[in-house]
Structure formats: C-alpha cells, structure tokens
Amino acid sequence: MLSNSRTLQDIWVGTSAREQGACAEDADAVGATKPDTELWFEDGNLVLVAGDVEFKVYRGPLIAHSPVFKDMLSLPQPGPHERPHDSCPIIPLHDSPHDLRHALRVFVPGSSLRAGAFEPTFDELAACVRIGHKYQIDELVQRNLAFLHKLYPTDLDSYLAARRIRPSTWTRAHAIGVVNLARLINEPALLPAALMECCTLGADIVHGLAHDDGTRETLSPDDLGRCFVGRARMAQASARIAHQMFRQTVARGCRHPACCLRVLQRLLNELGDARIELVSNLDWCTPWAAYVDEKDEERELCGKCYKMLEEERPQQLQREVWQVLPTMMGVAATEDWGEKPKGDS
C-alpha cells in the first residue's frame, strides 16, 4: 500500500492534495460541475469528478477490484470541501468523463465484475482498458483484451475469420485506437494486424480516429512512419503473390499438364490487363477465384489445378506473408506469432 498521499495522488490523479482541494473549491464557486444524468445514486458513498461531471457511486466494488482506489480511499481526504448535502468523499480524477462513465457502468453491487457487452463498441472497450490499466483493475483489462485478441489474432486463419464476423460498429479506422491501446498496455501481439489495417486507410490516416465524445486520436509519429513504410511493403507482397500464383507448376495429379501449363502462362501474361488493385492490392488476403474464373471461362484447367489456384496456392503464399508481417510493419514478432492459440481447433 502506498503511504505517501502526495506521491499516490501525483502518480494516479496527476495533482497534489492541495491542488485537489483548490480544484473542488473553484468548481463549487463557479458551478462548473454537474451530476451525471446516469451514474448518480442518491445512496452512493463516493463522488468521483472527471472534467465537469460528477459521478456518485458506491465505493465497495471499486475497492474490491482496484488496489489503487483501495489505497486512495484509505488515506485522509484532502481539504474540507464537502458540500452540505454530501457527507461522502469527493475525489477529482484526471480522466475523460466519457471514459469514466463507460468504466463505471461495469461496477454493480455483488462479488463479480462484469466487463460490458459481449460485443462492446470500440469506445466502450477502449475506455475500460484505459481506466482499468490506470487503476489496476486487472480483470476489466483482461476481459476486454481477450476481445481485442479475437479481432487482431496472431494466426492468419483466425484473422480471416474475424474479418468476416467483426461487429458492424467496428471499422478499419478503429485499428488506430487498437495500436494506441497496445502501446499503452504493452501488448505487442496486437500490433502487426492492427498496423496492417492502419496501412489500408490511405490519406485518412492523418485525420485519426473520431470518438463519440467529439475527440480524435492519432497514431504516434513513429507508428505513422511505420504505416508509410508498411504500405509500400504490403503492395510489394501483393505483387509477388500475383506473380507466384501462376508460376509454371501444375498441381499434383494434374490430368492435362500441357493444357494447364498453357493456361497458367496465359493467366500470368494477362495480369497486366487485370484490375490494378488486384495486382498491387494492399489487402493481400484477397481471393483469386474471381480472376481465374474470368480468365478461364472455358474451364480449361483441370479440377486439381483449379483447386490449387482457388485454395492451396494462395493460402500458402498468404501464410508466407503473414509470417513476416511483423517485420513488414516494423515491429518485433512475438514468440507465438503465426500459431493458433491453444485450445482453438
């Protein structure tokens, strides 16, 4: 337990006891704060102030799940700034009221800690991670982190599956926020896939991610630089996949090698006439079946060679790219990169 009140408040609240009292007195004097319309319980026993919003909540659940709040509330409270109608402690916090509201919704009387909806919005999840990290509410961080790992996993199959079932409220622009959260909580496994999606944002990446409360967040200059370099590397990877797709090797068990080799050569030659986004597409996970169907309308390829181009060869090439994705994005690979998490089928 931290014993020095000034040290505790400087680290976690960002202001001294004297300054906390002054802030509260100033707020009362000018009427700058107002009770939250949702999280203000008349029988609450703790008031948390974030920005110009006051939250009157119950201290028990916070103490049970946050050692920081437990230590904070064990100290003598600064300054006699309680108001006549409030006998409970009033603690100013240097947090966004938007973030604090999302995190406080999790806490309900009882012995368990809920982590929000099964499919939280990005703003809900990010708020819980930031508040949970700052106040050491580990369960809150881990449950939301588990959701992030489902969307930005370390193996290609899981990533492709996650793209198909991603909640409708999540867009690729949210990858900006995911990168920043990964930096905040030191979770490097999230970075390669999140940075890869940032690379697909084009010029919009400089505008950052807009939040529900009107604020915006952007990538750090270093991560923005990684995206500029990574974008070029992704285009190179797509071009290499395009040319390797039709290399002059037929499938094992091919029934008409001469014919299939001729078709493979034609498909390779006609890449120059293909849509430019197919050849140098930043999304190098794009399926190739549509291109093959268009260029081989008469179905001259045998069944085994067609399956090779539809599934086996692109999967092999895409796995090769995925394996070096951390290097492409300028970050270190985790030890389990490319492997399915234990327990996944």
Side-chain angles (χ1 to χ4, degrees):
M1 179 180 293
L2 297 174
S3 59
N4 184 291
S5 62
R6 182 174 179 80
T7 300
L8 175 70
Q9 290 157 10
D10 283 347
I11 292 175
W12 294 109
V13 183
T15 185
S16 67
R18 178 182 58 80
E19 290 167 336
Q20 282 186 344
C23 288
E25 290 169 0
D26 290 343
D28 286 343
V30 299
T33 60
K34 58 183 181 296
D36 187 65
T37 56
E38 176 186 351
L39 299 176
W40 181 272
F41 301 100
E42 292 300 333
D43 61 341
N45 52 17
L46 174 66
V47 174
L48 302 176
V49 183
D52 63 348
V53 182
E54 297 180 343
F55 302 88
K56 190 172 185 181
V57 293
Y58 307 99
R59 70 171 75 184
L62 292 174
I63 291 174
H65 296 288
S66 167
V68 175
F69 275 114
K70 182 177 181 180
D71 285 343
M72 190 182 298
L73 291 169
S74 71
L75 300 171
Q77 297 305 308
H81 59 268
E82 294 85 356
R83 287 156 293 190
H85 62 283
D86 269 326
S87 59
C88 56
I90 302 171
I91 300 182
L93 302 176
H94 282 204
D95 297 300
S96 156
H98 187 72
D99 276 7
L100 191 59
R101 184 180 298 109
H102 279 310
L104 289 176
R105 284 178 181 145
V106 173
F107 292 91
V108 294
S111 59
S112 63
L113 179 62
R114 295 187 302 146
F118 176 70
E119 289 187 351
T121 66
F122 176 79
D123 281 1
E124 291 170 342
L125 180 145
C128 287
V129 170
R130 283 191 290 262
I131 295 295
H133 175 72
K134 180 176 180 179
Y135 297 104
Q136 298 179 13
I137 311 173
D138 292 340
E139 186 179 348
L140 185 61
V141 174
Q142 292 304 317
R143 288 190 181 182
N144 285 277
L145 184 58
F147 186 83
L148 277 182
H149 277 297
K150 290 180 180 179
L151 299 185
Y152 299 90
T154 57
D155 72 287
L156 179 59
D157 289 341
S158 297
Y159 175 73
L160 294 176
R163 293 208 313 184
R164 293 191 291 268
I165 61 173
R166 185 168 296 184
S168 59
T169 58
W170 287 65
T171 67
R172 290 206 170 190
H174 287 116
I176 293 174
V178 174
V179 170
N180 291 336
L181 288 177
R183 296 296 189 190
L184 174 67
I185 61 177
N186 190 27
E187 195 67 23
L190 295 170
L191 288 172
L195 284 167
M196 179 182 70
E197 292 196 358
C198 287
C199 291
T200 67
L201 297 177
D204 289 341
I205 194 173
V206 301
H207 301 303
L209 171 65
H211 293 294
D212 293 343
D213 62 353
T215 61
R216 284 183 178 271
E217 67 173 300
T218 59
L219 292 174
S220 70
D222 286 345
D223 282 330
L224 194 59
R226 287 185 176 91
C227 289
F228 293 153
V229 175
R231 184 179 173 89
R233 289 173 174 170
M234 287 170 63
Q236 291 170 354
S238 289
R240 181 179 182 278
I241 287 176
H243 288 86
Q244 289 295 311
M245 271 290 298
F246 307 111
R247 62 181 181 267
Q248 299 299 289
T249 306
V250 296
R252 179 178 298 179
C254 171
R255 296 183 178 182
H256 310 291
C259 178
C260 289
L261 281 172
R262 186 173 63 252
V263 176
L264 287 174
Q265 184 63 54
R266 187 176 76 242
L267 292 174
L268 179 62
N269 293 342
E270 293 184 2
L271 278 176
D273 299 327
R275 292 173 292 117
I276 186 64
E277 61 267 24
L278 182 63
V279 178
S280 59
N281 191 353
L282 293 176
D283 186 4
W284 46 266
C285 300
T286 301
W288 281 86
Y291 173 76
V292 175
D293 290 341
E294 177 187 349
K295 299 298 182 180
D296 186 30
E297 291 181 317
E298 302 299 324
R299 186 57 70 240
E300 296 181 67
L301 287 169
C302 73
K304 290 185 179 296
C305 285
Y306 180 79
K307 182 179 180 181
M308 173 186 73
L309 295 182
E310 183 184 35
E311 299 177 5
E312 298 164 4
R313 189 167 284 181
Q315 288 176 1
Q316 174 192 352
L317 292 168
Q318 289 165 2
R319 289 184 197 284
E320 290 177 6
V321 174
W322 183 267
Q323 203 59 38
V324 297
L325 184 63
T327 301
M328 292 170 61
M329 296 298 110
V331 296
T334 56
E335 291 184 1
D336 61 345
W337 180 259
E339 300 176 6
K340 279 183 176 290
K342 293 181 179 178
D344 285 9
S345 58

